[in-house]
């Protein structure tokens, strides 16, 4: 049995390592991540995780794990910013407000597919222009949904969360462990 991570995210690799799980292969799939017209954040996130798992090349008995993290302000999806200007817009919009972070995990083995999503709430403090400019200059916003990563410097900007910290980072560990076990992965045998 081969375990394949259908993601190039170093954060997801690190989170799996916390479970004692080291993927045998890393194969980020190429899919269109454009939200559908009027698609809501939670169904969008679940669809992305499912499509990533299905698009990842694997053998019949291999286990594929894929995930998607979406930042949502109401019905609006804040994806990965294209540039620093868009990241600045996201940070200004999130400043002083609560928003949701949705992470969906999909595990596939053969034709079977298991999917779970986790919704967490996050509040970002009211940000000064100096804080926003310093965060943008760090470059840490790149490749991160909503333009920030709670596990890095942006942690200093977030006084409150409700939900799954690891889900906000990109892979909710409790739910991921349950999905891996459902697919027959010997998770507890990976522990020393």
């Amino acid at each position: 049995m081969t375990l394949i991570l259908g993601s190039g995210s170093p954060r997801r690799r690190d989170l799996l390592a916390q479970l004692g799980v080291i993927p045998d292969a890393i194969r980020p799939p190429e899919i269109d991540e454009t939200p559908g017209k009027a698609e809501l954040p939670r169904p969008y996130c679940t669809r992305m995780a499912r499509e990533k798992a299905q698009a990842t090349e694997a053998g019949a008995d291999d286990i594929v794990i894929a995930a998607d993290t979406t930042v949502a302000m109401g019905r609006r999806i804040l994806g990965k910013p294209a540039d620093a200007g868009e990241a600045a817009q996201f940070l200004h919009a999130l400043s002083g407000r609560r928003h949701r972070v949705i992470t969906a995990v999909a595990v596939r083995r053969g034709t079977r597919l298991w999917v779970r999503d986790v919704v967490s709430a996050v509040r970002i403090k009211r940000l000064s222009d100096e804080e926003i400019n310093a965060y943008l200059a760090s470059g840490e916003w790149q490749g991160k949904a909503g333009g920030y990563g709670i596990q890095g410097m942006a942690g200093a900007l977030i006084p409150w969360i409700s939900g799954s910290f690891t889900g906000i980072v990109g892979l909710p560990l409790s739910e991921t462990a349950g999905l891996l076990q459902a697919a027959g992965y010997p998770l507890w045998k990976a522990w020393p």
Side-chain angles (χ1 to χ4, degrees):
M1 170 189 329
T2 300
L3 179 68
I4 301 163
L5 177 59
S7 172
S9 166
R11 292 164 301 282
R12 291 194 178 114
R13 281 195 306 269
D14 291 346
L15 288 166
L16 279 174
Q18 287 183 32
L19 291 176
V21 175
I22 307 299
D24 298 300
I26 297 171
R27 298 181 188 148
E30 292 291 324
I31 66 165
D32 180 7
E33 296 189 37
T34 307
K37 186 177 169 113
E39 188 171 23
L40 295 175
R42 193 169 181 179
Y44 163 77
C45 189
T46 302
R47 178 176 66 84
M48 286 294 97
R50 186 181 311 110
E51 287 182 10
K52 288 176 183 179
Q54 291 170 330
T56 300
E57 183 181 322
D61 200 42
D62 295 343
I63 295 176
V64 173
I65 182 167
D68 188 74
T69 300
T70 299
V71 172
M73 285 186 58
R75 299 169 64 92
R76 183 177 171 200
I77 296 169
L78 302 182
K80 296 173 186 170
D83 54 35
E86 188 172 36
Q89 290 173 3
F90 288 174
L91 293 171
H92 280 288
L94 295 168
S95 176
R97 300 182 60 189
R98 286 185 187 182
H99 61 279
R100 291 174 297 141
V101 177
I102 305 145
T103 296
V105 182
V107 172
R108 175 174 64 92
R109 185 171 189 177
T111 59
R112 297 208 48 201
L113 184 69
W114 297 265
V115 182
R116 291 278 310 271
D117 67 24
V118 174
V119 181
S120 301
V122 177
R123 184 170 68 80
I124 292 184
K125 72 182 206 104
R126 188 168 307 283
L127 302 174
S128 68
D129 287 341
E130 182 180 17
E131 288 168 320
I132 290 174
N133 290 334
Y135 190 71
L136 293 172
S138 77
E140 194 177 84
W141 56 270
Q142 296 176 24
K144 309 247 182 11
Y148 74 89
I150 193 172
Q151 72 279 6
M153 290 178 259
L157 310 175
I158 299 169
W160 178 89
I161 71 165
S162 177
S164 169
F165 177 80
T166 58
I168 296 166
V169 175
L171 194 67
L173 292 185
S174 178
E175 291 76 8
T176 299
L179 293 174
L180 286 170
Q181 287 181 286
Y185 185 80
L187 180 65
W188 310 124
K189 291 181 182 176
W191 290 14

